[in-house]
Amino acid sequence: MARPLSVAIVGAGMGGLATAAALRRVGIDVMVYEQASQFARIGAGIQIGCNAMKVLRELGLEARMREHSFYPRSWNNRDWKSGDIKFDMIFGESAEEKFGAPYLLAHRGDLHAALASVVSNEFVRLNHKLVGLDETGDGVRLSFADGTRAIADAVVGADGVHSTVRDLLFDTSPAKFTGRIAYRTTYPAALLGGAGIDDCTKWWGEDRHIVIYYVKPDRSEVYLVTSQPEPDFRIESWSAKGDVRDLRASFEGFHPQVTRVLAACPDVHKWAIMDRDALEHWADGKVTLLGDACHPMTPYMAQGAAMAIEDAAVLSRCLDGVGRDGVANAFRRFEATRKVRTTQVQETSRANIWLKERTDTSWVYGYDAWSVPLAA
């Protein structure tokens, strides 16, 4: 019997781990290389759309995510001051029936831990910072900062918006600062002193917004994330601290529900919101990009991780049964299958009008990465 295809995955984020799980599901050997020394549980929430949940279901993670996530009634869009409803996107059982999977709100760390649980530690190498890629007669050689090397039949760059794989493959322009920043944090709902909040609400201001929702099934933890103009702040780090007093001042005059949440907030992180133009191509020979490495999203549709998770499922279908000689064609097929959709989501998110008024969401949440036709 021919040996299984071997794929090296660079990056152990949502996209990288989902790809590893999906490829192993079809009998492909994988190794994930991650530059960090350990996985950190960042204080951030994540919305897991019905489209992403269909992928997670086939990876065996639906029950776990239901157990650890909040099942919201809706994503409610309200005026910043009056609280008047602009559009209430109903989720819950009706959306689950319509779109074929639940819509869940989770702690980002819980989703990452779930994905890590289906990729054994033996298939993950931490402390591996990629510095070089070379195609050889034996495959693709990966070189790391510590001097070690590895060989694989193919490489998937799932290493995020600042992708090393992308920069090694293509001459790309740097990410562009949007002139906007975001605050975000999670904290115990007990700090609200018994005051309730909506399940999930985006409060639309004139030049800023704040999204607030629960991330635990017992409503014990609250998450908030904002977007507002601040053209002089350029730090793009998930761990940089912000000043909660500045955050409160930025949303002074907002609806009482917002000001209560901010008054109880003990501390926050702050980062610059960046954007990057879509790449003309994702693949070069036996190396391809995936997720934020090739189609980074602004955070206004809650679909960035979902697109990477969808990518993982489609890529596994394109590589299923493919030998070493078919990898380049499989990667081209993957790009052709996914590019129209990811570009549409990129552009829609960039406009930051998603759900601001009555919206047809079926094209996003109704998508099934396991059954969508593959490109010819």
Side-chain angles (χ1 to χ4, degrees):
M1 291 179 61
R3 67 172 177 81
L5 191 72
S6 65
V7 176
I9 300 165
V10 181
M14 307 297 187
L17 292 178
T19 300
L23 293 184
R24 283 186 48 76
R25 180 174 172 269
V26 295
I28 294 173
D29 285 344
V30 302
M31 187 60 71
V32 183
Y33 298 96
E34 167 58 45
Q35 67 177 356
S37 59
Q38 62 182 4
F39 295 142
R41 184 179 174 85
I42 301 297
I46 190 167
Q47 303 191 38
I48 310 173
C50 313
N51 49 315
M53 279 304 302
K54 292 171 196 171
V55 177
L56 298 178
R57 173 183 291 156
E58 294 301 315
L59 299 181
L61 294 175
E62 180 174 8
R64 176 171 176 153
M65 292 316 303
R66 284 183 184 269
E67 180 183 357
H68 292 282
S69 306
F70 184 67
Y71 188 68
R73 168 197 170 274
S74 70
W75 174 343
N76 201 355
N77 294 267
R78 300 176 64 178
D79 179 81
W80 67 283
K81 191 169 186 178
S82 68
D84 291 345
I85 294 174
K86 294 174 174 289
F87 175 53
D88 195 13
M89 175 63 207
I90 303 299
F91 285 119
E93 293 179 359
S94 62
E96 185 170 348
E97 181 177 351
K98 178 178 180 181
F99 299 125
Y103 195 102
L104 301 177
L105 308 176
H107 192 293
R108 217 177 164 85
D110 289 337
L111 175 56
H112 191 269
L115 287 165
S117 75
V118 291
V119 181
S120 172
N121 288 341
E122 66 181 295
F123 304 118
V124 180
R125 297 284 184 268
L126 300 176
N127 283 313
H128 276 66
K129 179 178 175 58
L130 184 74
V131 294
L133 284 173
D134 300 284
E135 282 208 33
T136 72
D138 296 325
V140 184
R141 182 174 60 230
L142 300 90
S143 302
F144 300 97
D146 64 358
T148 61
R149 292 182 174 182
I151 288 277
D153 295 326
V155 173
V156 175
D159 48 345
V161 67
H162 297 296
S163 169
T164 298
V165 177
R166 181 197 58 234
D167 291 345
L168 290 171
L169 290 185
F170 305 114
D171 181 17
T172 55
S173 57
K176 297 176 292 188
F177 177 48
T178 62
R180 303 182 67 82
I181 61 95
Y183 290 98
R184 77 172 193 296
T185 194
T186 57
Y187 68 84
L191 295 179
L192 289 170
I197 62 169
D198 297 340
D199 286 3
C200 177
T201 302
K202 183 170 183 176
W203 300 88
W204 292 84
E206 295 171 359
D207 66 347
R208 63 199 61 208
H209 70 252
I210 181 169
V211 181
I212 303 169
Y213 55 82
Y214 293 108
V215 295
K216 292 292 186 182
D218 60 359
R219 300 175 185 257
S220 61
E221 194 167 8
V222 173
Y223 172 64
L224 67 88
V225 62
T226 76
S227 173
Q228 64 228 65
E230 190 173 324
D232 296 327
F233 184 85
R234 299 298 179 94
I235 299 173
E236 190 191 6
S237 166
W238 278 57
S239 59
K241 285 287 189 177
D243 189 326
V244 71
R245 295 167 298 182
D246 291 341
L247 168 60
R248 292 172 186 145
S250 296
F251 289 87
E252 187 175 351
F254 268 62
H255 190 275
Q257 188 176 139
V258 174
T259 56
R260 282 197 301 269
V261 168
L262 296 182
C265 176
D267 63 9
V268 289
H269 290 89
K270 178 181 181 180
W271 89 100
I273 298 176
M274 310 296 285
D275 198 6
R276 185 185 290 276
D277 293 334
L279 290 178
E280 184 177 354
H281 296 293
W282 299 354
D284 184 1
K286 295 181 178 181
V287 183
T288 191
L289 302 172
L290 175 150
D292 279 352
C294 53
H295 49 70
M297 305 281 164
T298 53
Y300 303 140
M301 281 180 73
Q303 280 290 313
M307 289 300 103
I309 291 169
E310 286 182 0
D311 282 349
V314 172
L315 181 61
S316 73
R317 294 171 59 202
C318 292
L319 286 174
D320 189 6
V322 170
R324 293 177 63 193
D325 293 340
V327 166
N329 283 335
F331 283 169
R332 284 192 289 268
R333 190 181 198 193
F334 163 65
E335 178 181 330
T337 302
R338 291 291 294 158
K339 194 167 187 182
V340 170
R341 174 169 173 80
T342 58
T343 299
Q344 185 178 7
V345 174
Q346 268 186 307
E347 292 173 352
T348 304
S349 182
R350 185 178 290 134
N352 192 20
I353 57 171
W354 181 248
L355 303 185
K356 190 174 184 179
E357 55 189 33
R358 183 165 296 279
T359 305
D360 175 14
T361 62
S362 59
W363 69 274
V364 175
Y365 304 131
Y367 184 94
D368 189 342
W370 297 116
S371 61
V372 65
L374 300 179

mmCIF file of all heavy atoms in Angstrom, residues 106-146:
data_model
loop_
_atom_site.group_PDB
_atom_site.id
_atom_site.type_symbol
_atom_site.label_atom_id
_atom_site.label_comp_id
_atom_site.label_asym_id
_atom_site.label_seq_id
_atom_site.Cartn_x
_atom_site.Cartn_y
_atom_site.Cartn_z
ATOM 1 N N ALA A 106 -19.521 31.423 22.766
ATOM 2 C CA ALA A 106 -18.578 30.690 23.604
ATOM 3 C C ALA A 106 -17.395 31.558 24.001
ATOM 4 O O ALA A 106 -17.155 32.621 23.430
ATOM 5 C CB ALA A 106 -18.068 29.458 22.845
ATOM 6 N N HIS A 107 -16.658 31.073 24.969
ATOM 7 C CA HIS A 107 -15.337 31.642 25.259
ATOM 8 C C HIS A 107 -14.392 31.104 24.195
ATOM 9 O O HIS A 107 -14.406 29.915 23.867
ATOM 10 C CB HIS A 107 -14.862 31.224 26.649
ATOM 11 C CG HIS A 107 -13.669 31.984 27.132
ATOM 12 N ND1 HIS A 107 -12.416 31.874 26.551
ATOM 13 C CD2 HIS A 107 -13.530 32.889 28.145
ATOM 14 C CE1 HIS A 107 -11.567 32.663 27.176
ATOM 15 N NE2 HIS A 107 -12.210 33.287 28.152
ATOM 16 N N ARG A 108 -13.581 31.970 23.655
ATOM 17 C CA ARG A 108 -12.658 31.556 22.600
ATOM 18 C C ARG A 108 -11.776 30.394 23.048
ATOM 19 O O ARG A 108 -11.470 29.485 22.279
ATOM 20 C CB ARG A 108 -11.784 32.757 22.213
ATOM 21 C CG ARG A 108 -11.472 32.844 20.764
ATOM 22 C CD ARG A 108 -10.677 34.087 20.413
ATOM 23 N NE ARG A 108 -10.108 33.900 19.102
ATOM 24 C CZ ARG A 108 -10.736 34.164 17.964
ATOM 25 N NH1 ARG A 108 -11.958 34.636 17.997
ATOM 26 N NH2 ARG A 108 -10.160 33.925 16.806
ATOM 27 N N GLY A 109 -11.360 30.431 24.298
ATOM 28 C CA GLY A 109 -10.520 29.372 24.831
ATOM 29 C C GLY A 109 -11.217 28.028 24.851
ATOM 30 O O GLY A 109 -10.577 26.981 24.691
ATOM 31 N N ASP A 110 -12.539 28.021 25.055
ATOM 32 C CA ASP A 110 -13.287 26.761 25.077
ATOM 33 C C ASP A 110 -13.355 26.140 23.689
ATOM 34 O O ASP A 110 -13.274 24.909 23.542
ATOM 35 C CB ASP A 110 -14.691 26.983 25.635
ATOM 36 C CG ASP A 110 -14.688 27.274 27.130
ATOM 37 O OD1 ASP A 110 -13.705 26.882 27.802
ATOM 38 O OD2 ASP A 110 -15.644 27.889 27.623
ATOM 39 N N LEU A 111 -13.525 26.966 22.657
ATOM 40 C CA LEU A 111 -13.529 26.427 21.296
ATOM 41 C C LEU A 111 -12.139 25.907 20.928
ATOM 42 O O LEU A 111 -12.010 24.823 20.338
ATOM 43 C CB LEU A 111 -13.980 27.493 20.301
ATOM 44 C CG LEU A 111 -13.908 27.084 18.820
ATOM 45 C CD1 LEU A 111 -14.707 25.816 18.547
ATOM 46 C CD2 LEU A 111 -14.399 28.225 17.925
ATOM 47 N N HIS A 112 -11.113 26.648 21.266
ATOM 48 C CA HIS A 112 -9.753 26.202 20.949
ATOM 49 C C HIS A 112 -9.438 24.895 21.674
ATOM 50 O O HIS A 112 -8.857 23.965 21.091
ATOM 51 C CB HIS A 112 -8.732 27.280 21.319
ATOM 52 C CG HIS A 112 -7.362 27.006 20.793
ATOM 53 N ND1 HIS A 112 -6.423 26.307 21.519
ATOM 54 C CD2 HIS A 112 -6.769 27.308 19.603
ATOM 55 C CE1 HIS A 112 -5.303 26.198 20.816
ATOM 56 N NE2 HIS A 112 -5.488 26.799 19.641
ATOM 57 N N ALA A 113 -9.829 24.798 22.943
ATOM 58 C CA ALA A 113 -9.585 23.578 23.709
ATOM 59 C C ALA A 113 -10.335 22.393 23.113
ATOM 60 O O ALA A 113 -9.825 21.268 23.093
ATOM 61 C CB ALA A 113 -9.982 23.782 25.170
ATOM 62 N N ALA A 114 -11.548 22.644 22.619
ATOM 63 C CA ALA A 114 -12.321 21.571 21.992
ATOM 64 C C ALA A 114 -11.606 21.058 20.745
ATOM 65 O O ALA A 114 -11.471 19.840 20.540
ATOM 66 C CB ALA A 114 -13.721 22.072 21.648
ATOM 67 N N LEU A 115 -11.126 21.968 19.904
ATOM 68 C CA LEU A 115 -10.401 21.562 18.702
ATOM 69 C C LEU A 115 -9.102 20.837 19.071
ATOM 70 O O LEU A 115 -8.732 19.834 18.441
ATOM 71 C CB LEU A 115 -10.107 22.771 17.825
ATOM 72 C CG LEU A 115 -11.326 23.345 17.093
ATOM 73 C CD1 LEU A 115 -11.020 24.737 16.545
ATOM 74 C CD2 LEU A 115 -11.772 22.417 15.958
ATOM 75 N N ALA A 116 -8.426 21.336 20.109
ATOM 76 C CA ALA A 116 -7.187 20.681 20.541
ATOM 77 C C ALA A 116 -7.455 19.273 21.053
ATOM 78 O O ALA A 116 -6.589 18.393 20.941
ATOM 79 C CB ALA A 116 -6.508 21.522 21.621
ATOM 80 N N SER A 117 -8.646 19.043 21.577
ATOM 81 C CA SER A 117 -8.963 17.725 22.139
ATOM 82 C C SER A 117 -9.063 16.642 21.073
ATOM 83 O O SER A 117 -8.964 15.448 21.391
ATOM 84 C CB SER A 117 -10.279 17.789 22.931
ATOM 85 O OG SER A 117 -11.410 17.855 22.064
ATOM 86 N N VAL A 118 -9.283 17.025 19.809
ATOM 87 C CA VAL A 118 -9.383 16.024 18.738
ATOM 88 C C VAL A 118 -8.114 15.977 17.885
ATOM 89 O O VAL A 118 -8.082 15.327 16.847
ATOM 90 C CB VAL A 118 -10.626 16.258 17.850
ATOM 91 C CG1 VAL A 118 -11.898 15.962 18.642
ATOM 92 C CG2 VAL A 118 -10.672 17.675 17.285
ATOM 93 N N VAL A 119 -7.081 16.694 18.334
ATOM 94 C CA VAL A 119 -5.765 16.614 17.690
ATOM 95 C C VAL A 119 -4.764 16.244 18.778
ATOM 96 O O VAL A 119 -4.375 17.077 19.593
ATOM 97 C CB VAL A 119 -5.368 17.945 17.022
ATOM 98 C CG1 VAL A 119 -4.000 17.809 16.346
ATOM 99 C CG2 VAL A 119 -6.422 18.390 16.017
ATOM 100 N N SER A 120 -4.385 15.007 18.822
ATOM 101 C CA SER A 120 -3.508 14.503 19.884
ATOM 102 C C SER A 120 -2.214 15.312 19.955
ATOM 103 O O SER A 120 -1.711 15.828 18.949
ATOM 104 C CB SER A 120 -3.185 13.039 19.620
ATOM 105 O OG SER A 120 -2.196 12.570 20.521
ATOM 106 N N ASN A 121 -1.674 15.416 21.167
ATOM 107 C CA ASN A 121 -0.430 16.167 21.373
ATOM 108 C C ASN A 121 0.715 15.650 20.512
ATOM 109 O O ASN A 121 1.637 16.398 20.181
ATOM 110 C CB ASN A 121 -0.016 16.097 22.849
ATOM 111 C CG ASN A 121 -0.907 16.926 23.754
ATOM 112 O OD1 ASN A 121 -1.601 17.826 23.285
ATOM 113 N ND2 ASN A 121 -0.899 16.630 25.038
ATOM 114 N N GLU A 122 0.659 14.383 20.135
ATOM 115 C CA GLU A 122 1.745 13.824 19.325
ATOM 116 C C GLU A 122 1.789 14.428 17.921
ATOM 117 O O GLU A 122 2.784 14.282 17.207
ATOM 118 C CB GLU A 122 1.614 12.303 19.232
ATOM 119 C CG GLU A 122 0.388 11.827 18.473
ATOM 120 C CD GLU A 122 0.286 10.310 18.437
ATOM 121 O OE1 GLU A 122 1.163 9.668 17.818
ATOM 122 O OE2 GLU A 122 -0.684 9.786 19.017
ATOM 123 N N PHE A 123 0.710 15.123 17.543
ATOM 124 C CA PHE A 123 0.663 15.739 16.217
ATOM 125 C C PHE A 123 0.854 17.251 16.271
ATOM 126 O O PHE A 123 0.585 17.947 15.299
ATOM 127 C CB PHE A 123 -0.665 15.414 15.533
ATOM 128 C CG PHE A 123 -0.936 13.937 15.422
ATOM 129 C CD1 PHE A 123 -2.036 13.370 16.041
ATOM 130 C CD2 PHE A 123 -0.075 13.109 14.723
ATOM 131 C CE1 PHE A 123 -2.282 12.008 15.954
ATOM 132 C CE2 PHE A 123 -0.307 11.747 14.621
ATOM 133 C CZ PHE A 123 -1.410 11.191 15.244
ATOM 134 N N VAL A 124 1.310 17.765 17.409
ATOM 135 C CA VAL A 124 1.530 19.210 17.580
ATOM 136 C C VAL A 124 2.941 19.447 18.099
ATOM 137 O O VAL A 124 3.373 18.818 19.064
ATOM 138 C CB VAL A 124 0.496 19.827 18.555
ATOM 139 C CG1 VAL A 124 0.752 21.331 18.714
ATOM 140 C CG2 VAL A 124 -0.926 19.581 18.076
ATOM 141 N N ARG A 125 3.656 20.346 17.456
ATOM 142 C CA ARG A 125 4.990 20.740 17.886
ATOM 143 C C ARG A 125 4.973 22.227 18.247
ATOM 144 O O ARG A 125 4.835 23.086 17.367
ATOM 145 C CB ARG A 125 6.012 20.502 16.766
ATOM 146 C CG ARG A 125 6.159 19.040 16.362
ATOM 147 C CD ARG A 125 6.967 18.264 17.395
ATOM 148 N NE ARG A 125 7.180 16.887 16.971
ATOM 149 C CZ ARG A 125 6.380 15.866 17.280
ATOM 150 N NH1 ARG A 125 5.305 16.088 18.029
ATOM 151 N NH2 ARG A 125 6.656 14.643 16.864
ATOM 152 N N LEU A 126 5.082 22.522 19.534
ATOM 153 C CA LEU A 126 5.161 23.905 19.994
ATOM 154 C C LEU A 126 6.602 24.403 19.866
ATOM 155 O O LEU A 126 7.529 23.632 19.615
ATOM 156 C CB LEU A 126 4.683 24.002 21.443
ATOM 157 C CG LEU A 126 3.232 23.561 21.707
ATOM 158 C CD1 LEU A 126 2.918 23.621 23.200
ATOM 159 C CD2 LEU A 126 2.246 24.404 20.916
ATOM 160 N N ASN A 127 6.791 25.715 20.047
ATOM 161 C CA ASN A 127 8.131 26.323 19.961
ATOM 162 C C ASN A 127 8.784 26.103 18.599
ATOM 163 O O ASN A 127 10.007 25.960 18.510
ATOM 164 C CB ASN A 127 9.050 25.770 21.063
ATOM 165 C CG ASN A 127 8.766 26.365 22.418
ATOM 166 O OD1 ASN A 127 8.640 27.577 22.547
ATOM 167 N ND2 ASN A 127 8.643 25.525 23.428
ATOM 168 N N HIS A 128 7.984 26.097 17.562
ATOM 169 C CA HIS A 128 8.530 25.925 16.209
ATOM 170 C C HIS A 128 8.149 27.148 15.363
ATOM 171 O O HIS A 128 7.040 27.224 14.824
ATOM 172 C CB HIS A 128 7.998 24.641 15.569
ATOM 173 C CG HIS A 128 8.765 23.424 15.951
ATOM 174 N ND1 HIS A 128 8.787 22.930 17.242
ATOM 175 C CD2 HIS A 128 9.576 22.596 15.219
ATOM 176 C CE1 HIS A 128 9.551 21.849 17.290
ATOM 177 N NE2 HIS A 128 10.046 21.631 16.078
ATOM 178 N N LYS A 129 9.064 28.090 15.271
ATOM 179 C CA LYS A 129 8.849 29.312 14.491
ATOM 180 C C LYS A 129 9.408 29.101 13.094
ATOM 181 O O LYS A 129 10.624 28.938 12.907
ATOM 182 C CB LYS A 129 9.507 30.514 15.154
ATOM 183 C CG LYS A 129 9.351 31.817 14.376
ATOM 184 C CD LYS A 129 9.984 32.971 15.124
ATOM 185 C CE LYS A 129 9.945 34.257 14.295
ATOM 186 N NZ LYS A 129 8.576 34.648 13.921
ATOM 187 N N LEU A 130 8.537 29.120 12.098
ATOM 188 C CA LEU A 130 8.954 28.887 10.719
ATOM 189 C C LEU A 130 9.806 30.046 10.196
ATOM 190 O O LEU A 130 9.465 31.210 10.386
ATOM 191 C CB LEU A 130 7.717 28.719 9.827
ATOM 192 C CG LEU A 130 7.995 28.374 8.367
ATOM 193 C CD1 LEU A 130 8.443 26.922 8.242
ATOM 194 C CD2 LEU A 130 6.754 28.631 7.509
ATOM 195 N N VAL A 131 10.914 29.695 9.505
ATOM 196 C CA VAL A 131 11.746 30.732 8.893
ATOM 197 C C VAL A 131 12.030 30.453 7.414
ATOM 198 O O VAL A 131 12.511 31.333 6.701
ATOM 199 C CB VAL A 131 13.086 30.908 9.645
ATOM 200 C CG1 VAL A 131 12.849 31.447 11.046
ATOM 201 C CG2 VAL A 131 13.870 29.601 9.680
ATOM 202 N N GLY A 132 11.730 29.236 6.938
ATOM 203 C CA GLY A 132 12.017 28.949 5.540
ATOM 204 C C GLY A 132 11.201 27.795 4.992
ATOM 205 O O GLY A 132 10.796 26.881 5.724
ATOM 206 N N LEU A 133 10.910 27.852 3.676
ATOM 207 C CA LEU A 133 10.209 26.799 2.953
ATOM 208 C C LEU A 133 10.932 26.560 1.634
ATOM 209 O O LEU A 133 11.251 27.512 0.921
ATOM 210 C CB LEU A 133 8.758 27.203 2.640
ATOM 211 C CG LEU A 133 7.717 27.178 3.756
ATOM 212 C CD1 LEU A 133 6.407 27.772 3.239
ATOM 213 C CD2 LEU A 133 7.496 25.767 4.254
ATOM 214 N N ASP A 134 11.161 25.293 1.308
ATOM 215 C CA ASP A 134 11.809 24.957 0.040
ATOM 216 C C ASP A 134 11.199 23.671 -0.498
ATOM 217 O O ASP A 134 11.097 22.672 0.226
ATOM 218 C CB ASP A 134 13.319 24.737 0.241
ATOM 219 C CG ASP A 134 14.017 25.963 0.790
ATOM 220 O OD1 ASP A 134 14.232 26.906 0.018
ATOM 221 O OD2 ASP A 134 14.321 25.961 2.001
ATOM 222 N N GLU A 135 10.805 23.688 -1.781
ATOM 223 C CA GLU A 135 10.352 22.460 -2.420
ATOM 224 C C GLU A 135 11.571 21.666 -2.866
ATOM 225 O O GLU A 135 12.490 22.208 -3.489
ATOM 226 C CB GLU A 135 9.428 22.766 -3.602
ATOM 227 C CG GLU A 135 8.025 23.142 -3.181
ATOM 228 C CD GLU A 135 6.970 22.786 -4.232
ATOM 229 O OE1 GLU A 135 7.143 21.775 -4.936
ATOM 230 O OE2 GLU A 135 5.975 23.535 -4.320
ATOM 231 N N THR A 136 11.589 20.382 -2.529
ATOM 232 C CA THR A 136 12.684 19.493 -2.905
ATOM 233 C C THR A 136 12.089 18.280 -3.620
ATOM 234 O O THR A 136 10.869 18.144 -3.737
ATOM 235 C CB THR A 136 13.457 19.024 -1.661
ATOM 236 O OG1 THR A 136 12.637 18.094 -0.933
ATOM 237 C CG2 THR A 136 13.823 20.188 -0.754
ATOM 238 N N GLY A 137 12.954 17.395 -4.070
ATOM 239 C CA GLY A 137 12.469 16.183 -4.709
ATOM 240 C C GLY A 137 11.707 15.286 -3.763
ATOM 241 O O GLY A 137 10.881 14.466 -4.190
ATOM 242 N N ASP A 138 11.946 15.456 -2.459
ATOM 243 C CA ASP A 138 11.270 14.624 -1.455
ATOM 244 C C ASP A 138 10.002 15.268 -0.903
ATOM 245 O O ASP A 138 9.282 14.639 -0.123
ATOM 246 C CB ASP A 138 12.226 14.343 -0.286
ATOM 247 C CG ASP A 138 13.439 13.528 -0.720
ATOM 248 O OD1 ASP A 138 13.278 12.664 -1.601
ATOM 249 O OD2 ASP A 138 14.528 13.774 -0.183
ATOM 250 N N GLY A 139 9.724 16.504 -1.265
ATOM 251 C CA GLY A 139 8.549 17.194 -0.738
ATOM 252 C C GLY A 139 8.867 18.648 -0.451
ATOM 253 O O GLY A 139 9.697 19.268 -1.130
ATOM 254 N N VAL A 140 8.257 19.175 0.586
ATOM 255 C CA VAL A 140 8.493 20.563 1.001
ATOM 256 C C VAL A 140 9.272 20.529 2.314
ATOM 257 O O VAL A 140 8.846 19.896 3.283
ATOM 258 C CB VAL A 140 7.175 21.341 1.177
ATOM 259 C CG1 VAL A 140 7.476 22.805 1.503
ATOM 260 C CG2 VAL A 140 6.302 21.233 -0.063
ATOM 261 N N ARG A 141 10.415 21.214 2.330
ATOM 262 C CA ARG A 141 11.241 21.263 3.540
ATOM 263 C C ARG A 141 10.906 22.524 4.321
ATOM 264 O O ARG A 141 10.913 23.626 3.786
ATOM 265 C CB ARG A 141 12.717 21.242 3.178
ATOM 266 C CG ARG A 141 13.642 21.238 4.411
ATOM 267 C CD ARG A 141 15.108 21.062 4.027
ATOM 268 N NE ARG A 141 15.537 22.150 3.160
ATOM 269 C CZ ARG A 141 16.177 21.979 2.011
ATOM 270 N NH1 ARG A 141 16.421 20.754 1.561
ATOM 271 N NH2 ARG A 141 16.565 23.018 1.298
ATOM 272 N N LEU A 142 10.616 22.362 5.605
ATOM 273 C CA LEU A 142 10.336 23.472 6.512
ATOM 274 C C LEU A 142 11.547 23.681 7.398
ATOM 275 O O LEU A 142 12.081 22.725 7.974
ATOM 276 C CB LEU A 142 9.115 23.191 7.383
ATOM 277 C CG LEU A 142 7.772 22.934 6.685
ATOM 278 C CD1 LEU A 142 7.590 21.435 6.400
ATOM 279 C CD2 LEU A 142 6.596 23.431 7.534
ATOM 280 N N SER A 143 11.993 24.920 7.533
ATOM 281 C CA SER A 143 13.115 25.261 8.410
ATOM 282 C C SER A 143 12.602 26.148 9.535
ATOM 283 O O SER A 143 11.807 27.072 9.309
ATOM 284 C CB SER A 143 14.207 26.000 7.632
ATOM 285 O OG SER A 143 14.669 25.219 6.549
ATOM 286 N N PHE A 144 13.074 25.873 10.751
ATOM 287 C CA PHE A 144 12.590 26.592 11.923
ATOM 288 C C PHE A 144 13.721 27.367 12.601
ATOM 289 O O PHE A 144 14.901 27.084 12.389
ATOM 290 C CB PHE A 144 11.940 25.610 12.904
ATOM 291 C CG PHE A 144 10.773 24.867 12.306
ATOM 292 C CD1 PHE A 144 10.940 23.589 11.779
ATOM 293 C CD2 PHE A 144 9.525 25.465 12.223
ATOM 294 C CE1 PHE A 144 9.874 22.907 11.212
ATOM 295 C CE2 PHE A 144 8.454 24.796 11.647
ATOM 296 C CZ PHE A 144 8.633 23.510 11.128
ATOM 297 N N ALA A 145 13.323 28.338 13.403
ATOM 298 C CA ALA A 145 14.294 29.256 14.007
ATOM 299 C C ALA A 145 15.286 28.554 14.914
ATOM 300 O O ALA A 145 16.409 29.037 15.103
ATOM 301 C CB ALA A 145 13.547 30.342 14.775
ATOM 302 N N ASP A 146 14.912 27.418 15.482
ATOM 303 C CA ASP A 146 15.812 26.700 16.386
ATOM 304 C C ASP A 146 16.795 25.805 15.635
ATOM 305 O O ASP A 146 17.568 25.060 16.246
ATOM 306 C CB ASP A 146 15.022 25.879 17.402
ATOM 307 C CG ASP A 146 14.184 24.775 16.767
ATOM 308 O OD1 ASP A 146 14.178 24.666 15.518
ATOM 309 O OD2 ASP A 146 13.527 24.029 17.515
#
